[in-house]
Amino acid sequence: MSDDFDLLETNSQQKPEKVDVNWGKAIDQMKSKLAQEDDPESRQKILNATLDNVVDMAEKDRSTLLDAIKDLTDYQDEVGIMFEGFSALNAAEQKIIDDAVKRLERAKVELEDAKAKPDTWWNNLWGRKSKIREAEQELQNAQKERDGADNKAKAMFQQRIETADVQTLLNELSFKSQAAIKRLKDRELEIKEVEESLKSAIVEASNNHTKALEKKKQVETQLEEQYALLKQARQALEEVADKQSTEYSEALEKVTGLEQKVEELEGLKNAYTTLAASKDSFVHKHNLTIKVLTSLRSNLQTHRAKLKSDTDERLKYYDGYVVALKARTDQEFTAILEHLGVKTDEHIGETLAAMHTASAKARQEMMDNIPVHEKVMQGIYGSYAEALKDIRSKDAEIQKNFADRYGIDMKEIFDEYYSADSNAPSGDGQPTGEPKPEANEDDLLG
């Protein structure tokens, strides 16, 4: 185990960010939804589980996670937690916030630069005041964009996780847990800071209580002296016989002055008494507050330690769950491939068998058709021989006609084409006799 396994450490010089918390019904609503997750049929589902059932259960896991993420995101708004600090934004969502922050910072700098120019007639001539107005307007627009950036990023985030897979939702839940751990740590630091402040307040209140009691004692001593003087002055006043004399007036004035002094000292005595009682009360109040805060901080430490430890373990647990889902998918994929393979084997077997029988049938048909083909060819050759005989007879007439009319013996010319005896048998379609060299077309046209 590493040395930084410091689950309960809260000492830090960093001051946590103060967050205004507006508590509502979010916690109760979330607890109510979680309480509804108890399923009395879960045992039966496990006993009768199939791979298809697992798909439905995994989809229910995804749906439950999605609802939880939505509730947590809404809860952030309700208790005043900054959205971008408590959700895993992707690059596009984070860019919306970053761009708005940069624009706002740039607008502030430009406004400062515009106001920094001296208010002279020359600068005003070159548009100093108009530039200030433009910079102020840009600052307002930039502030408006920054104010809406969180909501815009949140809308994109919500839309993205609507179709997110289980792994993405588990990662988001883990991110929120990590953010919660930091938030708890910051809250502990804030409480500890208040505790230290209250300890100083106890010391100061205790000192003031002591001082008030000391002052009260001093006033009481003065009061005793003034009461004694007042008693003497009143005695002297009674002893003056002439009530209209100057002596009586002086004695009366002295009594009045002492009475005023006594009244002031009584007021001081009451004030110091009240102050001492108040300081004593606050000593006990601060002490009680420290006890409560220390108890709360201790509870936060416990929750944070468990959450941090459980989150580390949960990440491994989630990895196992995601791998199991993938393994289930691979198993189903393998089963599909096996099914397709068997079907393919069957189809190929059918095709090969059909191919073999078709080939055998084609061979038989070919053998059956040979006599038919021979008979057809005999007819073709016979017709050819008959036509050739007619042509030869016709050629003989043409030769005789040419010889009679022009005195030209055409026999040699025709014999180059028809060298066989015109009376040769025509069964095989081949002319008989000794052939003469063929005359080519150039010889005939030359």
Side-chain angles (χ1 to χ4, degrees):
M1 187 179 293
S2 60
D3 294 336
D4 61 350
F5 189 70
D6 186 10
L7 297 176
L8 300 178
E9 178 59 39
T10 57
N11 294 325
S12 174
Q13 298 301 321
Q14 296 180 349
K15 291 187 177 181
E17 248 181 63
K18 299 293 178 65
V19 178
D20 293 331
V21 179
N22 301 316
W23 296 102
K25 298 181 180 179
I27 294 179
D28 293 336
Q29 291 173 352
M30 291 174 65
K31 285 183 177 179
S32 175
K33 286 189 176 182
L34 291 174
Q36 295 172 4
E37 291 301 317
D38 293 335
D39 190 350
E41 301 178 358
S42 59
R43 179 177 179 274
Q44 202 63 32
K45 287 183 178 180
I46 296 171
L47 292 175
N48 299 331
T50 65
L51 289 177
D52 292 335
N53 297 145
V54 173
V55 175
D56 296 335
M57 294 171 71
E59 178 55 31
K60 183 180 180 183
D61 290 342
R62 195 195 78 85
S63 177
T64 303
L65 275 170
L66 180 59
D67 291 341
I69 298 300
K70 288 180 179 179
D71 289 342
L72 283 171
T73 305
D74 293 338
Y75 173 68
Q76 292 168 210
D77 293 338
E78 195 155 346
V79 299
I81 303 174
M82 295 299 291
F83 170 73
E84 66 269 24
F86 216 73
S87 291
L89 305 182
N90 63 17
E93 295 157 359
Q94 187 63 51
K95 188 174 185 299
I96 291 176
I97 296 174
D98 292 343
D99 289 348
V101 171
K102 290 177 182 177
R103 181 182 179 184
L104 181 59
E105 292 176 350
R106 186 168 55 250
K108 290 178 180 178
V109 171
E110 290 177 355
L111 180 58
E112 290 177 358
D113 292 343
K115 289 182 176 181
K117 289 186 177 181
D119 187 7
T120 63
W121 70 271
W122 178 256
N123 288 337
N124 290 332
L125 180 64
W126 286 99
R128 174 183 176 273
K129 294 182 178 180
S130 62
K131 289 180 180 178
I132 291 176
R133 287 194 298 270
E134 291 173 359
E136 289 175 341
Q137 183 60 46
E138 170 60 17
L139 181 60
Q140 292 179 5
N141 295 338
Q143 185 64 56
K144 186 181 296 183
E145 180 181 341
R146 176 65 189 94
D147 294 340
D150 283 352
N151 289 333
K152 189 174 181 181
K154 177 184 175 183
M156 291 179 63
F157 167 82
Q158 294 281 41
Q159 185 177 6
R160 174 168 59 88
I161 67 168
E162 282 287 345
T163 56
D165 56 17
V166 171
Q167 186 171 10
T168 302
L169 294 176
L170 288 174
N171 290 338
E172 172 63 20
L173 187 61
S174 299
F175 182 90
K176 288 186 183 297
S177 297
Q178 297 289 357
I181 292 169
K182 181 181 181 302
R183 181 174 171 82
L184 290 174
K185 179 71 175 287
D186 292 343
R187 187 67 70 202
E188 291 171 39
L189 293 173
E190 182 181 1
I191 291 175
K192 194 169 183 64
E193 182 181 342
V194 174
E195 287 177 4
E196 296 300 324
S197 175
L198 286 173
K199 287 179 182 178
S200 300
I202 288 176
V203 173
E204 184 178 357
S206 180
N207 291 336
N208 289 333
H209 174 259
T210 301
K211 291 178 180 178
L213 290 178
E214 292 175 352
K215 288 288 186 181
K216 176 175 174 283
K217 189 174 182 180
Q218 293 176 6
V219 170
E220 287 176 341
T221 302
Q222 294 177 8
L223 268 175
E224 291 178 0
E225 296 174 354
Q226 294 300 319
Y227 272 130
L229 293 174
L230 180 58
K231 184 177 180 181
Q232 294 176 3
R234 286 175 176 171
Q235 184 65 34
L237 181 61
E238 292 178 359
E239 292 176 356
V240 177
D242 187 1
K243 307 300 182 184
Q244 302 298 325
S245 64
T246 305
E247 183 181 0
Y248 183 82
S249 299
E250 292 175 353
L252 181 60
E253 182 180 357
K254 185 177 180 180
V255 168
T256 302
L258 289 171
E259 287 176 344
Q260 289 179 334
K261 187 67 174 178
V262 167
E263 188 67 29
E264 291 175 359
L265 291 173
E266 285 287 354
L268 283 175
K269 176 186 174 182
N270 292 334
Y272 285 128
T273 301
T274 303
L275 183 59
S278 174
K279 295 304 177 183
D280 183 59
S281 173
F282 273 106
V283 166
H284 294 292
K285 289 177 182 177
H286 292 338
N287 186 52
L288 175 61
T289 305
I290 288 176
K291 289 180 180 179
V292 172
L293 290 178
T294 303
S295 175
L296 289 173
R297 180 164 58 85
S298 176
N299 290 339
L300 285 178
Q301 285 177 334
T302 303
H303 285 299
R304 178 172 59 86
K306 185 175 185 303
L307 181 60
K308 184 177 186 301
S309 179
D310 288 355
T311 299
D312 294 339
E313 300 299 332
R314 199 166 280 128
L315 289 175
K316 303 169 189 174
Y317 181 56
Y318 291 165
D319 287 342
Y321 175 58
V322 172
V323 170
L325 286 179
K326 292 178 180 178
R328 179 264 155 208
T329 303
D330 293 340
Q331 185 175 348
E332 181 70 10
F333 184 64
T334 304
I336 292 172
L337 286 178
E338 176 65 20
H339 179 73
L340 289 175
V342 170
K343 286 297 181 184
T344 303
D345 294 344
E346 293 173 358
H347 293 163
I348 291 176
E350 291 174 3
T351 304
L352 288 173
M355 193 181 299
H356 178 70
T357 56
S359 177
K361 288 179 180 179
R363 177 180 53 78
Q364 290 177 351
E365 186 178 350
M366 179 183 66
M367 297 297 291
D368 290 342
N369 287 335
I370 286 177
V372 177
H373 293 324
E374 289 178 349
K375 185 177 180 180
V376 171
M377 291 305 295
Q378 285 177 358
I380 291 172
Y381 288 134
S383 300
Y384 168 65
E386 185 179 352
L388 192 60
K389 181 179 179 181
D390 291 342
I391 290 172
R392 283 174 176 166
S393 299
K394 185 68 175 177
D395 285 345
E397 292 178 5
I398 292 173
Q399 292 177 29
K400 185 176 181 304
N401 188 17
F402 266 76
D404 293 343
R405 294 176 62 185
Y406 304 110
I408 300 173
D409 187 4
M410 299 294 294
K411 186 176 184 303
E412 293 183 357
I413 297 174
F414 279 93
D415 282 346
E416 293 178 2
Y417 294 94
Y418 308 107
S419 60
D421 186 4
S422 62
N423 294 322
S426 59
D428 58 359
Q430 295 292 333
T432 60
E434 188 175 332
K436 291 187 177 182
E438 289 185 1
N440 56 36
E441 195 173 359
D442 292 340
D443 293 337
L444 296 175
L445 300 178

